[in-house]
mmCIF file with all atom_site columns, all heavy atoms in Angstrom:
data_model
loop_
_atom_site.group_PDB
_atom_site.id
_atom_site.type_symbol
_atom_site.label_atom_id
_atom_site.label_alt_id
_atom_site.label_comp_id
_atom_site.label_asym_id
_atom_site.label_entity_id
_atom_site.label_seq_id
_atom_site.pdbx_PDB_ins_code
_atom_site.Cartn_x
_atom_site.Cartn_y
_atom_site.Cartn_z
_atom_site.occupancy
_atom_site.B_iso_or_equiv
_atom_site.pdbx_formal_charge
_atom_site.auth_seq_id
_atom_site.auth_comp_id
_atom_site.auth_asym_id
_atom_site.auth_atom_id
_atom_site.pdbx_PDB_model_num
ATOM 1   N N   . GLY A 1 1  ? 88.583 90.596  224.840 1.00 98.00 ? 1  GLY A N   1
ATOM 2   C CA  . GLY A 1 1  ? 89.569 91.281  224.017 1.00 98.00 ? 1  GLY A CA  1
ATOM 3   C C   . GLY A 1 1  ? 88.960 92.384  223.173 1.00 98.00 ? 1  GLY A C   1
ATOM 4   O O   . GLY A 1 1  ? 89.419 92.682  222.073 1.00 98.00 ? 1  GLY A O   1
ATOM 5   N N   . ALA A 1 2  ? 87.914 93.033  223.687 1.00 98.00 ? 2  ALA A N   1
ATOM 6   C CA  . ALA A 1 2  ? 87.171 94.026  222.900 1.00 98.00 ? 2  ALA A CA  1
ATOM 7   C C   . ALA A 1 2  ? 88.000 95.261  222.583 1.00 98.00 ? 2  ALA A C   1
ATOM 8   O O   . ALA A 1 2  ? 87.694 95.984  221.631 1.00 98.00 ? 2  ALA A O   1
ATOM 9   C CB  . ALA A 1 2  ? 85.897 94.431  223.635 1.00 98.00 ? 2  ALA A CB  1
ATOM 10  N N   . ALA A 1 3  ? 89.045 95.529  223.375 1.00 98.00 ? 3  ALA A N   1
ATOM 11  C CA  . ALA A 1 3  ? 89.910 96.668  223.094 1.00 98.00 ? 3  ALA A CA  1
ATOM 12  C C   . ALA A 1 3  ? 91.021 96.309  222.131 1.00 98.00 ? 3  ALA A C   1
ATOM 13  O O   . ALA A 1 3  ? 91.844 97.158  221.785 1.00 98.00 ? 3  ALA A O   1
ATOM 14  C CB  . ALA A 1 3  ? 90.511 97.216  224.391 1.00 98.00 ? 3  ALA A CB  1
ATOM 15  N N   . GLY A 1 4  ? 91.054 95.055  221.697 1.00 97.00 ? 4  GLY A N   1
ATOM 16  C CA  . GLY A 1 4  ? 92.068 94.611  220.750 1.00 97.00 ? 4  GLY A CA  1
ATOM 17  C C   . GLY A 1 4  ? 91.683 94.918  219.316 1.00 97.00 ? 4  GLY A C   1
ATOM 18  O O   . GLY A 1 4  ? 90.568 95.382  219.026 1.00 97.00 ? 4  GLY A O   1
ATOM 19  N N   . PHE A 1 5  ? 92.594 94.670  218.424 1.00 98.00 ? 5  PHE A N   1
ATOM 20  C CA  . PHE A 1 5  ? 92.412 94.954  217.008 1.00 98.00 ? 5  PHE A CA  1
ATOM 21  C C   . PHE A 1 5  ? 91.191 94.241  216.437 1.00 98.00 ? 5  PHE A C   1
ATOM 22  O O   . PHE A 1 5  ? 90.234 94.868  215.953 1.00 98.00 ? 5  PHE A O   1
ATOM 23  C CB  . PHE A 1 5  ? 93.693 94.527  216.276 1.00 98.00 ? 5  PHE A CB  1
ATOM 24  C CG  . PHE A 1 5  ? 93.643 94.537  214.779 1.00 98.00 ? 5  PHE A CG  1
ATOM 25  C CD1 . PHE A 1 5  ? 92.947 95.514  214.077 1.00 98.00 ? 5  PHE A CD1 1
ATOM 26  C CD2 . PHE A 1 5  ? 94.337 93.564  214.055 1.00 98.00 ? 5  PHE A CD2 1
ATOM 27  C CE1 . PHE A 1 5  ? 92.929 95.529  212.685 1.00 98.00 ? 5  PHE A CE1 1
ATOM 28  C CE2 . PHE A 1 5  ? 94.328 93.578  212.680 1.00 98.00 ? 5  PHE A CE2 1
ATOM 29  C CZ  . PHE A 1 5  ? 93.622 94.555  211.984 1.00 98.00 ? 5  PHE A CZ  1
ATOM 30  N N   . ILE A 1 6  ? 91.164 92.924  216.521 1.00 98.00 ? 6  ILE A N   1
ATOM 31  C CA  . ILE A 1 6  ? 90.049 92.166  215.955 1.00 98.00 ? 6  ILE A CA  1
ATOM 32  C C   . ILE A 1 6  ? 88.804 92.337  216.815 1.00 98.00 ? 6  ILE A C   1
ATOM 33  O O   . ILE A 1 6  ? 87.687 92.454  216.296 1.00 98.00 ? 6  ILE A O   1
ATOM 34  C CB  . ILE A 1 6  ? 90.430 90.678  215.810 1.00 98.00 ? 6  ILE A CB  1
ATOM 35  C CG1 . ILE A 1 6  ? 91.648 90.531  214.899 1.00 98.00 ? 6  ILE A CG1 1
ATOM 36  C CG2 . ILE A 1 6  ? 89.256 89.871  215.254 1.00 98.00 ? 6  ILE A CG2 1
ATOM 37  C CD1 . ILE A 1 6  ? 92.194 89.122  214.807 1.00 98.00 ? 6  ILE A CD1 1
ATOM 38  N N   . GLY A 1 7  ? 88.985 92.404  218.137 1.00 98.00 ? 7  GLY A N   1
ATOM 39  C CA  . GLY A 1 7  ? 87.850 92.559  219.034 1.00 98.00 ? 7  GLY A CA  1
ATOM 40  C C   . GLY A 1 7  ? 87.054 93.819  218.769 1.00 98.00 ? 7  GLY A C   1
ATOM 41  O O   . GLY A 1 7  ? 85.819 93.811  218.821 1.00 98.00 ? 7  GLY A O   1
ATOM 42  N N   . MET A 1 8  ? 87.744 94.922  218.494 1.00 98.00 ? 8  MET A N   1
ATOM 43  C CA  . MET A 1 8  ? 87.038 96.167  218.196 1.00 98.00 ? 8  MET A CA  1
ATOM 44  C C   . MET A 1 8  ? 86.197 96.037  216.936 1.00 98.00 ? 8  MET A C   1
ATOM 45  O O   . MET A 1 8  ? 85.028 96.441  216.895 1.00 98.00 ? 8  MET A O   1
ATOM 46  C CB  . MET A 1 8  ? 88.024 97.318  218.028 1.00 98.00 ? 8  MET A CB  1
ATOM 47  C CG  . MET A 1 8  ? 87.362 98.676  217.859 1.00 98.00 ? 8  MET A CG  1
ATOM 48  S SD  . MET A 1 8  ? 88.324 99.894  216.937 1.00 98.00 ? 8  MET A SD  1
ATOM 49  C CE  . MET A 1 8  ? 87.921 99.421  215.239 1.00 98.00 ? 8  MET A CE  1
ATOM 50  N N   . HIS A 1 9  ? 86.790 95.463  215.888 1.00 98.00 ? 9  HIS A N   1
ATOM 51  C CA  . HIS A 1 9  ? 86.084 95.362  214.609 1.00 98.00 ? 9  HIS A CA  1
ATOM 52  C C   . HIS A 1 9  ? 84.905 94.391  214.696 1.00 98.00 ? 9  HIS A C   1
ATOM 53  O O   . HIS A 1 9  ? 83.836 94.643  214.115 1.00 98.00 ? 9  HIS A O   1
ATOM 54  C CB  . HIS A 1 9  ? 87.049 94.927  213.512 1.00 98.00 ? 9  HIS A CB  1
ATOM 55  C CG  . HIS A 1 9  ? 87.952 96.030  213.041 1.00 98.00 ? 9  HIS A CG  1
ATOM 56  N ND1 . HIS A 1 9  ? 87.579 96.924  212.059 1.00 98.00 ? 9  HIS A ND1 1
ATOM 57  C CD2 . HIS A 1 9  ? 89.196 96.392  213.419 1.00 98.00 ? 9  HIS A CD2 1
ATOM 58  C CE1 . HIS A 1 9  ? 88.562 97.783  211.840 1.00 98.00 ? 9  HIS A CE1 1
ATOM 59  N NE2 . HIS A 1 9  ? 89.557 97.487  212.658 1.00 98.00 ? 9  HIS A NE2 1
ATOM 60  N N   . VAL A 1 10 ? 85.071 93.281  215.413 1.00 98.00 ? 10 VAL A N   1
ATOM 61  C CA  . VAL A 1 10 ? 83.970 92.335  215.579 1.00 98.00 ? 10 VAL A CA  1
ATOM 62  C C   . VAL A 1 10 ? 82.847 92.976  216.381 1.00 98.00 ? 10 VAL A C   1
ATOM 63  O O   . VAL A 1 10 ? 81.666 92.857  216.030 1.00 98.00 ? 10 VAL A O   1
ATOM 64  C CB  . VAL A 1 10 ? 84.469 91.038  216.249 1.00 98.00 ? 10 VAL A CB  1
ATOM 65  C CG1 . VAL A 1 10 ? 83.285 90.166  216.699 1.00 98.00 ? 10 VAL A CG1 1
ATOM 66  C CG2 . VAL A 1 10 ? 85.363 90.255  215.299 1.00 98.00 ? 10 VAL A CG2 1
ATOM 67  N N   . SER A 1 11 ? 83.192 93.684  217.458 1.00 98.00 ? 11 SER A N   1
ATOM 68  C CA  . SER A 1 11 ? 82.178 94.363  218.268 1.00 98.00 ? 11 SER A CA  1
ATOM 69  C C   . SER A 1 11 ? 81.425 95.383  217.428 1.00 98.00 ? 11 SER A C   1
ATOM 70  O O   . SER A 1 11 ? 80.191 95.479  217.509 1.00 98.00 ? 11 SER A O   1
ATOM 71  C CB  . SER A 1 11 ? 82.835 95.052  219.464 1.00 98.00 ? 11 SER A CB  1
ATOM 72  O OG  . SER A 1 11 ? 83.445 94.123  220.329 1.00 98.00 ? 11 SER A OG  1
ATOM 73  N N   . GLU A 1 12 ? 82.144 96.136  216.627 1.00 98.00 ? 12 GLU A N   1
ATOM 74  C CA  . GLU A 1 12 ? 81.522 97.142  215.771 1.00 98.00 ? 12 GLU A CA  1
ATOM 75  C C   . GLU A 1 12 ? 80.523 96.512  214.810 1.00 98.00 ? 12 GLU A C   1
ATOM 76  O O   . GLU A 1 12 ? 79.412 97.024  214.603 1.00 98.00 ? 12 GLU A O   1
ATOM 77  C CB  . GLU A 1 12 ? 82.611 97.880  214.993 1.00 98.00 ? 12 GLU A CB  1
ATOM 78  C CG  . GLU A 1 12 ? 82.133 99.046  214.159 1.00 98.00 ? 12 GLU A CG  1
ATOM 79  C CD  . GLU A 1 12 ? 83.293 99.761  213.496 1.00 98.00 ? 12 GLU A CD  1
ATOM 80  O OE1 . GLU A 1 12 ? 84.176 99.082  212.930 1.00 98.00 ? 12 GLU A OE1 1
ATOM 81  O OE2 . GLU A 1 12 ? 83.316 100.996 213.530 1.00 98.00 ? 12 GLU A OE2 1
ATOM 82  N N   . ARG A 1 13 ? 80.878 95.371  214.243 1.00 98.00 ? 13 ARG A N   1
ATOM 83  C CA  . ARG A 1 13 ? 79.979 94.695  213.293 1.00 98.00 ? 13 ARG A CA  1
ATOM 84  C C   . ARG A 1 13 ? 78.756 94.127  214.005 1.00 98.00 ? 13 ARG A C   1
ATOM 85  O O   . ARG A 1 13 ? 77.643 94.177  213.485 1.00 98.00 ? 13 ARG A O   1
ATOM 86  C CB  . ARG A 1 13 ? 80.756 93.587  212.565 1.00 98.00 ? 13 ARG A CB  1
ATOM 87  C CG  . ARG A 1 13 ? 80.033 93.015  211.360 1.00 98.00 ? 13 ARG A CG  1
ATOM 88  C CD  . ARG A 1 13 ? 80.970 92.158  210.539 1.00 98.00 ? 13 ARG A CD  1
ATOM 89  N NE  . ARG A 1 13 ? 81.969 92.952  209.862 1.00 98.00 ? 13 ARG A NE  1
ATOM 90  C CZ  . ARG A 1 13 ? 81.835 93.471  208.649 1.00 98.00 ? 13 ARG A CZ  1
ATOM 91  N NH1 . ARG A 1 13 ? 80.726 93.255  207.970 1.00 98.00 ? 13 ARG A NH1 1
ATOM 92  N NH2 . ARG A 1 13 ? 82.803 94.174  208.096 1.00 98.00 ? 13 ARG A NH2 1
ATOM 93  N N   . LEU A 1 14 ? 78.939 93.576  215.193 1.00 98.00 ? 14 LEU A N   1
ATOM 94  C CA  . LEU A 1 14 ? 77.803 93.063  215.962 1.00 98.00 ? 14 LEU A CA  1
ATOM 95  C C   . LEU A 1 14 ? 76.843 94.185  216.342 1.00 98.00 ? 14 LEU A C   1
ATOM 96  O O   . LEU A 1 14 ? 75.622 94.038  216.254 1.00 98.00 ? 14 LEU A O   1
ATOM 97  C CB  . LEU A 1 14 ? 78.302 92.351  217.217 1.00 98.00 ? 14 LEU A CB  1
ATOM 98  C CG  . LEU A 1 14 ? 79.002 91.006  217.016 1.00 98.00 ? 14 LEU A CG  1
ATOM 99  C CD1 . LEU A 1 14 ? 79.670 90.557  218.311 1.00 98.00 ? 14 LEU A CD1 1
ATOM 100 C CD2 . LEU A 1 14 ? 78.025 89.949  216.523 1.00 98.00 ? 14 LEU A CD2 1
ATOM 101 N N   . LEU A 1 15 ? 77.395 95.302  216.753 1.00 98.00 ? 15 LEU A N   1
ATOM 102 C CA  . LEU A 1 15 ? 76.561 96.449  217.122 1.00 98.00 ? 15 LEU A CA  1
ATOM 103 C C   . LEU A 1 15 ? 75.784 96.969  215.916 1.00 98.00 ? 15 LEU A C   1
ATOM 104 O O   . LEU A 1 15 ? 74.604 97.321  216.027 1.00 98.00 ? 15 LEU A O   1
ATOM 105 C CB  . LEU A 1 15 ? 77.435 97.560  217.705 1.00 98.00 ? 15 LEU A CB  1
ATOM 106 C CG  . LEU A 1 15 ? 78.065 97.269  219.068 1.00 98.00 ? 15 LEU A CG  1
ATOM 107 C CD1 . LEU A 1 15 ? 79.157 98.283  219.378 1.00 98.00 ? 15 LEU A CD1 1
ATOM 108 C CD2 . LEU A 1 15 ? 77.013 97.268  220.171 1.00 98.00 ? 15 LEU A CD2 1
ATOM 109 N N   . ALA A 1 16 ? 76.446 96.999  214.759 1.00 97.00 ? 16 ALA A N   1
ATOM 110 C CA  . ALA A 1 16 ? 75.774 97.469  213.544 1.00 97.00 ? 16 ALA A CA  1
ATOM 111 C C   . ALA A 1 16 ? 74.608 96.570  213.167 1.00 97.00 ? 16 ALA A C   1
ATOM 112 O O   . ALA A 1 16 ? 73.639 97.012  212.545 1.00 97.00 ? 16 ALA A O   1
ATOM 113 C CB  . ALA A 1 16 ? 76.776 97.549  212.392 1.00 97.00 ? 16 ALA A CB  1
ATOM 114 N N   . ALA A 1 17 ? 74.690 95.289  213.560 1.00 96.00 ? 17 ALA A N   1
ATOM 115 C CA  . ALA A 1 17 ? 73.616 94.342  213.283 1.00 96.00 ? 17 ALA A CA  1
ATOM 116 C C   . ALA A 1 17 ? 72.502 94.404  214.324 1.00 96.00 ? 17 ALA A C   1
ATOM 117 O O   . ALA A 1 17 ? 71.524 93.644  214.239 1.00 96.00 ? 17 ALA A O   1
ATOM 118 C CB  . ALA A 1 17 ? 74.174 92.922  213.205 1.00 96.00 ? 17 ALA A CB  1
ATOM 119 N N   . GLY A 1 18 ? 72.641 95.277  215.328 1.00 97.00 ? 18 GLY A N   1
ATOM 120 C CA  . GLY A 1 18 ? 71.591 95.467  216.320 1.00 97.00 ? 18 GLY A CA  1
ATOM 121 C C   . GLY A 1 18 ? 71.749 94.666  217.589 1.00 97.00 ? 18 GLY A C   1
ATOM 122 O O   . GLY A 1 18 ? 70.858 94.680  218.446 1.00 97.00 ? 18 GLY A O   1
ATOM 123 N N   . HIS A 1 19 ? 72.869 93.958  217.746 1.00 98.00 ? 19 HIS A N   1
ATOM 124 C CA  . HIS A 1 19 ? 73.092 93.165  218.954 1.00 98.00 ? 19 HIS A CA  1
ATOM 125 C C   . HIS A 1 19 ? 73.618 94.040  220.084 1.00 98.00 ? 19 HIS A C   1
ATOM 126 O O   . HIS A 1 19 ? 74.177 95.113  219.857 1.00 98.00 ? 19 HIS A O   1
ATOM 127 C CB  . HIS A 1 19 ? 74.098 92.043  218.679 1.00 98.00 ? 19 HIS A CB  1
ATOM 128 C CG  . HIS A 1 19 ? 73.644 91.069  217.624 1.00 98.00 ? 19 HIS A CG  1
ATOM 129 N ND1 . HIS A 1 19 ? 72.541 90.270  217.788 1.00 98.00 ? 19 HIS A ND1 1
ATOM 130 C CD2 . HIS A 1 19 ? 74.143 90.795  216.394 1.00 98.00 ? 19 HIS A CD2 1
ATOM 131 C CE1 . HIS A 1 19 ? 72.383 89.525  216.693 1.00 98.00 ? 19 HIS A CE1 1
ATOM 132 N NE2 . HIS A 1 19 ? 73.333 89.837  215.837 1.00 98.00 ? 19 HIS A NE2 1
ATOM 133 N N   . GLY A 1 20 ? 73.467 93.555  221.302 1.00 98.00 ? 20 GLY A N   1
ATOM 134 C CA  . GLY A 1 20 ? 74.119 94.162  222.448 1.00 98.00 ? 20 GLY A CA  1
ATOM 135 C C   . GLY A 1 20 ? 75.465 93.506  222.659 1.00 98.00 ? 20 GLY A C   1
ATOM 136 O O   . GLY A 1 20 ? 75.607 92.287  222.489 1.00 98.00 ? 20 GLY A O   1
ATOM 137 N N   . VAL A 1 21 ? 76.470 94.286  223.021 1.00 98.00 ? 21 VAL A N   1
ATOM 138 C CA  . VAL A 1 21 ? 77.814 93.759  223.217 1.00 98.00 ? 21 VAL A CA  1
ATOM 139 C C   . VAL A 1 21 ? 78.340 94.202  224.582 1.00 98.00 ? 21 VAL A C   1
ATOM 140 O O   . VAL A 1 21 ? 78.363 95.394  224.888 1.00 98.00 ? 21 VAL A O   1
ATOM 141 C CB  . VAL A 1 21 ? 78.783 94.240  222.113 1.00 98.00 ? 21 VAL A CB  1
ATOM 142 C CG1 . VAL A 1 21 ? 80.215 93.793  222.423 1.00 98.00 ? 21 VAL A CG1 1
ATOM 143 C CG2 . VAL A 1 21 ? 78.351 93.709  220.751 1.00 98.00 ? 21 VAL A CG2 1
ATOM 144 N N   . VAL A 1 22 ? 78.741 93.223  225.373 1.00 98.00 ? 22 VAL A N   1
ATOM 145 C CA  . VAL A 1 22 ? 79.501 93.489  226.586 1.00 98.00 ? 22 VAL A CA  1
ATOM 146 C C   . VAL A 1 22 ? 80.947 93.142  226.265 1.00 98.00 ? 22 VAL A C   1
ATOM 147 O O   . VAL A 1 22 ? 81.277 91.979  226.000 1.00 98.00 ? 22 VAL A O   1
ATOM 148 C CB  . VAL A 1 22 ? 79.008 92.642  227.770 1.00 98.00 ? 22 VAL A CB  1
ATOM 149 C CG1 . VAL A 1 22 ? 79.878 92.897  229.002 1.00 98.00 ? 22 VAL A CG1 1
ATOM 150 C CG2 . VAL A 1 22 ? 77.551 92.948  228.071 1.00 98.00 ? 22 VAL A CG2 1
ATOM 151 N N   . GLY A 1 23 ? 81.805 94.147  226.232 1.00 98.00 ? 23 GLY A N   1
ATOM 152 C CA  . GLY A 1 23 ? 83.207 93.943  225.904 1.00 98.00 ? 23 GLY A CA  1
ATOM 153 C C   . GLY A 1 23 ? 84.050 93.914  227.156 1.00 98.00 ? 23 GLY A C   1
ATOM 154 O O   . GLY A 1 23 ? 83.838 94.711  228.079 1.00 98.00 ? 23 GLY A O   1
ATOM 155 N N   . ILE A 1 24 ? 84.998 92.993  227.201 1.00 98.00 ? 24 ILE A N   1
ATOM 156 C CA  . ILE A 1 24 ? 85.922 92.952  228.333 1.00 98.00 ? 24 ILE A CA  1
ATOM 157 C C   . ILE A 1 24 ? 87.354 92.947  227.803 1.00 98.00 ? 24 ILE A C   1
ATOM 158 O O   . ILE A 1 24 ? 87.625 92.478  226.691 1.00 98.00 ? 24 ILE A O   1
ATOM 159 C CB  . ILE A 1 24 ? 85.677 91.752  229.265 1.00 98.00 ? 24 ILE A CB  1
ATOM 160 C CG1 . ILE A 1 24 ? 86.046 90.430  228.583 1.00 98.00 ? 24 ILE A CG1 1
ATOM 161 C CG2 . ILE A 1 24 ? 84.239 91.722  229.745 1.00 98.00 ? 24 ILE A CG2 1
ATOM 162 C CD1 . ILE A 1 24 ? 86.078 89.251  229.550 1.00 98.00 ? 24 ILE A CD1 1
ATOM 163 N N   . ASP A 1 25 ? 88.252 93.478  228.605 1.00 98.00 ? 25 ASP A N   1
ATOM 164 C CA  . ASP A 1 25 ? 89.672 93.526  228.263 1.00 98.00 ? 25 ASP A CA  1
ATOM 165 C C   . ASP A 1 25 ? 90.423 93.911  229.529 1.00 98.00 ? 25 ASP A C   1
ATOM 166 O O   . ASP A 1 25 ? 89.874 94.616  230.387 1.00 98.00 ? 25 ASP A O   1
ATOM 167 C CB  . ASP A 1 25 ? 89.918 94.573  227.169 1.00 98.00 ? 25 ASP A CB  1
ATOM 168 C CG  . ASP A 1 25 ? 91.178 94.309  226.366 1.00 98.00 ? 25 ASP A CG  1
ATOM 169 O OD1 . ASP A 1 25 ? 92.293 94.430  226.931 1.00 98.00 ? 25 ASP A OD1 1
ATOM 170 O OD2 . ASP A 1 25 ? 91.058 93.989  225.177 1.00 98.00 ? 25 ASP A OD2 1
#
């Protein structure tokens, strides 16, 4: 749900912390 409302914000925060994110939707 990375293209969703909460999914986008969670992905953004994980990326800011230096993690890699594979988003699906």
Side-chain angles (χ1 to χ4, degrees):
F5 171 37
I6 301 174
M8 186 207 83
H9 284 274
V10 168
S11 297
E12 186 177 46
R13 192 168 290 270
L14 289 169
L15 291 166
H19 299 296
V21 174
V22 177
I24 69 169
D25 204 292

